[in-house]
Amino acid sequence: MQKQEVTIYDVAREAKVSMATVSRVVNGNNNVRKETRDRVLAVIDRLHYQPNAVAQGLASKKTTTVGLIVPGFTNLHFAELSQGIDDIATMYKYNILLSSVENKLLEDDQVIQNLLNKQVDGVIYMSNQMSEKARNALIRTNTPVVLAGTMDSNPDFGSVAIDYEEAERTALNILYQDGKRNLALVLNDERAYVNDAHRVKAYKEFIAEHNLNSHIYPQVKSYEDGYKVFEQMHEDKIDGAIATRDMTAAGILNAAQDAGVKIPEELELISAASTMVAEIVRPKMTTIRQPLYDIGAVAMRMLTKMMNNEEVDDLHITLPLEVIEANTTLNK
Amino acid sequence: MQKQEVTIYDVAREAKVSMATVSRVVNGNNNVRKETRDRVLAVIDRLHYQPNAVAQGLASKKTTTVGLIVPGFTNLHFAELSQGIDDIATMYKYNILLSSVENKLLEDDQVIQNLLNKQVDGVIYMSNQMSEKARNALIRTNTPVVLAGTMDSNPDFGSVAIDYEEAERTALNILYQDGKRNLALVLNDERAYVNDAHRVKAYKEFIAEHNLNSHIYPQVKSYEDGYKVFEQMHEDKIDGAIATRDMTAAGILNAAQDAGVKIPEELELISAASTMVAEIVRPKMTTIRQPLYDIGAVAMRMLTKMMNNEEVDDLHITLPLEVIEANTTLNK
DNA sequence: ATGAAAGCGCTAACAG
DNA sequence: CTGTTAGCGCTTTCAT
């Protein structure tokens, strides 16, 4: 950090007013005569004065900064979400302080405490399950929080997501109606990702209801994992599968084709989180699409309201999902 | 931002020392008797004291925050770079203030000015060409800057990248040695991306040297653009192409296959920026790989040195590139 | 409409 | 080794 060339004090002196007046001008306070305002503005312009946001933050107890907690960057899923968040944040002049919590030595409560120390005005959390400790720190400091991409009914936090149980049922129904009876659910990490837990719940209900055998493949996290898990799925005679991530679905798809399995005749595949990857693979992947950009944008918008102490009509928003039937299902 | 429950002052009173002493133990200053330190630490623990980073920033003129400027989030290319940056930043206890400059109403100088107002200790810039105005603001405030993924010899800024001209020549040589003579260069945006300009330079030199015809396809920015541009390439009888982005390369690849063109026999394809996408498509894409994670990590490491006023041996680092020959080239 | 003055919570000489 | 004393640059009552 460099020494600041020109401060509010310099402007005040040059414009022959008090620093309080300069502050008013800078903050758009109306209690300034137009004449005075213009004079101050001219000096600000001439001196290239720029307010020091850190000093503003200390004095006003507002930093116009929000903390964004993501599980990692390499996941396109979260890239789209971030885009929605960033666009709205920019619109409302908030900055984003970014933290990731994957493969890290840091626990989520350390990450959150750090954000809190930096005095963020609010937090968007789009990672996996939050620890009690982290949750308490957030509540104790009374910091507004919105969970993005997570179903949650906690009254302390806002949330924006789709209905993951409905997403699962929708996908299962497609497979079932195409005559598939050996249905698999390929998961990332059930314990870490709450959404996966919802999916499991809907899956188990469906399986029970239709008297089918349960085939859950956990801990399938990457393209390679997906590629590898296919072998087991093949042994298990799976004829319809739902994967919670595009990358793993792509891995299964390619492995199946390399093994000479006909898609979708012998194996139908549905990806539950859709990114560009679903469109690039051949055949194109059928997906239950979550509106990722919208989830991010709506979450950020909700957060701005909370930070501004505005009324939030609905703390828990469920966005509609979209079914995109492509060529890894029969499309009957 | 909530009112701070407990301040350094409270700790001082409870521990019966001055706030200066508390400050010392918080900052790990050795000039504190072990006994005193332990007593203060105990109080800090009991009161759950957490230092206010904003106040620290104002007083010390250091925010332990760096600005990261990216061109957008949906590009996997930059996601990997960010990962490298974030890992090192976390290691050195810096936070990342994120700004994107794509499709935005904001110019880069506004984005940078905003970051400067927030008193960031340094900036990592991994976007397209920087405006004069932005550059001057950075230099005037004496803020350390590292350009990530951009070849640059500006003595004011550090830079970490691969040699994009060499990358281009390497790719061209592969195609040429496979007997291809109608070589295309598919670009994102030559004017915006400096790297593309380097590629064009190397391409034109190669074309001239070998007496070939030049085929440059500019403004191909997305998967769809790539898919569409293939038609023109087909008319132009292109038999070897280099695309600067995986997504566009994937578009061309799929379009070609949909049109019944044999890959790689009738058309060889090389992607110049490699992400997971290159591995997912079939056939697998031959790529000239940039070590994205490393570029980010090395850039951030360099920045920490600059912020710490340490000697930086080499302000402009060129990382080695890697050729991954897969199945969109003949592999002779 | 404007100014004076008191902080915001912390760091950093300087003294001792 | 520890305390005292100024600020850092700005916002915000409270007067006027």
Side-chain angles (χ1 to χ4, degrees):
Chain A
M1 200 150 120
Q2 65 298 332
K3 61 173 148 307
Q4 185 155 338
E5 334 80 278
V6 27
T7 73
I8 199 172
Y9 200 79
D10 299 317
V11 177
R13 181 166 27 73
E14 292 283 315
K16 301 193 193 314
V17 293
S18 72
M19 46 190 295
T21 299
V22 178
S23 175
R24 288 187 187 102
V25 171
V26 168
N27 293 297
N29 185 315
N30 271 327
N31 285 342
V32 182
R33 199 164 22 134
K34 179 166 189 338
E35 205 173 286
T36 320
R37 173 185 308 279
D38 289 346
R39 185 152 39 92
V40 172
L41 249 17
V43 175
I44 285 177
D45 205 49
R46 178 158 61 79
L47 265 42
H48 299 296
Y49 167 71
Q50 294 284 346
N52 179 327
V54 173
Q56 289 180 314
L58 182 58
S60 70
K61 295 184 166 299
K62 285 195 194 315
T63 54
T64 60
T65 300
V66 305
L68 172 59
I69 299 178
V70 299
F73 302 97
T74 43
N75 188 335
L76 262 181
H77 180 130
F78 294 100
E80 272 186 54
L81 262 172
S82 304
Q83 183 77 56
I85 292 169
D86 183 69
D87 283 354
I88 305 299
T90 304
M91 193 174 300
Y92 286 89
K93 304 214 187 305
Y94 280 94
N95 282 107
I96 292 176
L97 206 48
L98 184 64
S99 300
S100 108
V101 289
E102 203 171 49
N103 307 322
K104 278 290 172 48
L105 299 169
L106 300 179
E107 298 299 327
D108 66 343
D109 63 286
Q110 303 186 59
V111 170
I112 283 179
Q113 189 57 62
N114 174 252
L115 251 23
L116 256 19
N117 293 163
K118 295 254 169 163
Q119 313 298 123
V120 295
D121 296 338
V123 168
I124 292 202
Y125 193 88
M126 41 191 249
S127 190
N128 34 12
Q129 188 76 305
M130 193 188 295
S131 71
E132 264 312 298
K133 201 166 172 186
R135 184 178 290 263
N136 289 337
L138 254 6
I139 294 173
R140 175 157 23 88
T141 55
N142 203 28
T143 307
V145 177
V146 177
L147 307 172
T150 302
M151 285 171 77
D152 196 285
S153 52
N154 187 318
D156 298 314
F157 300 156
S159 72
V160 180
I162 63 166
D163 184 330
Y164 295 98
E165 295 186 22
E166 185 196 339
E168 187 66 21
R169 279 193 299 271
T170 305
L172 285 163
N173 269 320
I174 292 175
L175 299 177
Y176 193 83
Q177 280 169 23
D178 286 349
K180 307 301 182 184
R181 292 296 179 269
N182 257 318
L183 308 182
L185 177 54
V186 181
L187 291 176
N188 191 342
D189 187 342
E190 184 186 354
R191 282 175 315 172
Y193 290 89
V194 210
N195 301 341
D196 279 13
H198 288 119
R199 293 204 148 101
V200 168
K201 175 166 177 287
Y203 174 81
K204 285 186 174 163
E205 285 170 5
F206 191 95
I207 290 296
E209 186 182 333
H210 295 268
N211 266 312
L212 304 176
N213 290 321
S214 173
H215 296 285
I216 296 184
Y217 302 87
Q219 301 290 325
V220 182
K221 305 183 170 195
S222 62
Y223 174 79
E224 288 80 9
D225 287 353
Y227 197 95
K228 276 187 224 136
V229 84
F230 169 75
E231 196 177 345
Q232 183 62 46
M233 291 170 66
H234 198 43
E235 273 182 35
D236 296 345
K237 306 216 183 314
I238 298 301
D239 56 6
I242 300 167
T244 56
R245 291 182 59 175
D246 284 355
M247 284 291 187
T248 61
I252 295 168
L253 179 63
N254 282 342
Q257 294 185 106
D258 287 354
V261 171
K262 294 251 181 308
I263 309 279
E265 294 78 5
E266 299 172 23
L267 172 62
E268 290 196 10
L269 216 46
I270 297 181
S271 164
S274 68
T275 65
M276 278 301 292
V277 170
E279 262 187 78
I280 288 172
V281 293
R282 289 309 169 88
K284 279 193 193 174
M285 189 92 63
T286 291
T287 59
I288 310 296
R289 188 174 194 292
Q290 337 179 28
L292 294 173
Y293 180 94
D294 296 342
I295 291 178
V298 170
M300 185 64 212
R301 180 66 187 102
M302 185 191 290
L303 188 64
T304 62
K305 285 184 184 166
M306 293 166 79
M307 293 186 297
N308 212 20
N309 292 316
E310 289 174 37
E311 189 74 22
V312 177
D313 326 313
D314 194 350
L315 208 54
H316 303 292
I317 296 183
T318 302
L319 261 26
L321 50 82
E322 199 181 333
V323 179
I324 301 182
E325 291 211 52
N327 305 320
T328 56
T329 49
L330 286 168
N331 254 318
K332 285 197 202 166
Chain B
M1 203 150 121
Q2 64 299 334
K3 59 173 152 308
Q4 186 154 342
E5 335 80 280
V6 28
T7 73
I8 198 173
Y9 201 80
D10 300 316
V11 176
R13 179 165 30 71
E14 292 284 314
K16 301 194 192 313
V17 293
S18 72
M19 46 189 296
T21 299
V22 178
S23 177
R24 286 188 188 100
V25 338
V26 167
N27 293 295
N29 185 317
N30 271 327
N31 286 341
V32 181
R33 198 162 28 131
K34 180 166 187 336
E35 205 174 287
T36 319
R37 172 187 309 279
D38 289 345
R39 183 154 37 94
V40 172
L41 249 18
V43 175
I44 286 178
D45 205 49
R46 177 159 60 80
L47 264 43
H48 299 296
Y49 167 71
Q50 292 286 345
N52 179 326
V54 173
Q56 290 179 314
L58 183 58
S60 70
K61 295 184 165 298
K62 286 195 195 317
T63 54
T64 59
T65 300
V66 305
L68 171 59
I69 298 177
V70 299
F73 303 96
T74 42
N75 189 337
L76 262 182
H77 178 130
F78 294 99
E80 273 187 52
L81 261 171
S82 303
Q83 183 79 57
I85 292 169
D86 183 69
D87 283 354
I88 305 299
T90 303
M91 193 174 300
Y92 286 89
K93 305 211 187 307
Y94 279 94
N95 281 108
I96 292 177
L97 206 47
L98 185 63
S99 300
S100 108
V101 290
E102 202 171 50
N103 308 324
K104 279 288 171 50
L105 300 169
L106 299 178
E107 298 298 326
D108 65 344
D109 63 285
Q110 302 185 60
V111 170
I112 283 179
Q113 188 58 61
N114 173 253
L115 252 24
L116 257 17
N117 293 163
K118 295 252 169 164
Q119 314 300 120
V120 295
D121 295 339
V123 169
I124 292 201
Y125 192 88
M126 43 190 248
S127 187
N128 35 11
Q129 190 75 307
M130 194 188 295
S131 71
E132 265 311 300
K133 201 166 171 186
R135 185 178 290 264
N136 289 336
L138 254 6
I139 293 174
R140 174 157 26 86
T141 54
N142 204 28
T143 307
V145 177
V146 176
L147 307 172
T150 302
M151 286 171 77
D152 196 286
S153 52
N154 187 318
D156 298 313
F157 300 156
S159 72
V160 180
I162 63 164
D163 185 330
Y164 295 97
E165 295 186 23
E166 185 196 339
E168 187 66 22
R169 279 193 299 272
T170 305
L172 286 163
N173 269 319
I174 292 174
L175 300 177
Y176 193 83
Q177 279 169 24
D178 285 348
K180 308 301 183 184
R181 292 296 180 269
N182 258 319
L183 307 182
L185 178 55
V186 181
L187 292 176
N188 190 341
D189 187 342
E190 183 186 356
R191 282 176 314 174
Y193 290 88
V194 211
N195 301 343
D196 279 13
H198 287 119
R199 294 204 146 101
V200 169
K201 176 167 177 286
Y203 175 81
K204 285 186 174 163
E205 284 171 5
F206 190 94
I207 289 295
E209 187 184 330
H210 294 268
N211 264 312
L212 304 174
N213 290 321
S214 173
H215 296 285
I216 296 184
Y217 303 86
Q219 302 291 323
V220 182
K221 305 182 171 195
S222 62
Y223 174 79
E224 288 79 10
D225 287 353
Y227 197 94
K228 277 187 221 136
V229 83
F230 169 74
E231 195 177 346
Q232 183 61 46
M233 290 170 65
H234 198 44
E235 272 182 34
D236 296 346
K237 306 214 181 317
I238 298 301
D239 57 5
I242 301 166
T244 56
R245 291 182 59 176
D246 283 356
M247 283 293 187
T248 63
I252 295 168
L253 178 64
N254 281 343
Q257 293 185 110
D258 287 352
V261 170
K262 294 250 182 310
I263 307 280
E265 293 78 6
E266 298 171 23
L267 172 62
E268 289 196 9
L269 216 45
I270 297 179
S271 164
S274 69
T275 65
M276 278 302 292
V277 170
E279 262 186 78
I280 288 172
V281 293
R282 290 307 169 89
K284 279 193 193 173
M285 189 91 65
T286 293
T287 59
I288 308 297
R289 189 171 193 293
Q290 333 180 31
L292 293 173
Y293 180 93
D294 296 343
I295 291 177
V298 171
M300 185 64 211
R301 181 65 188 102
M302 186 191 291
L303 188 63
T304 62
K305 285 184 185 167
M306 292 166 79
M307 293 186 297
N308 212 21
N309 292 316
E310 289 174 37
E311 189 74 22
V312 177
D313 326 314
D314 193 350
L315 208 54
H316 303 290
I317 296 184
T318 301
L319 261 26
L321 50 84
E322 198 181 335
V323 179
I324 300 182
E325 291 211 50
N327 306 319
T328 57
T329 51
L330 287 168
N331 255 319
K332 286 198 203 168

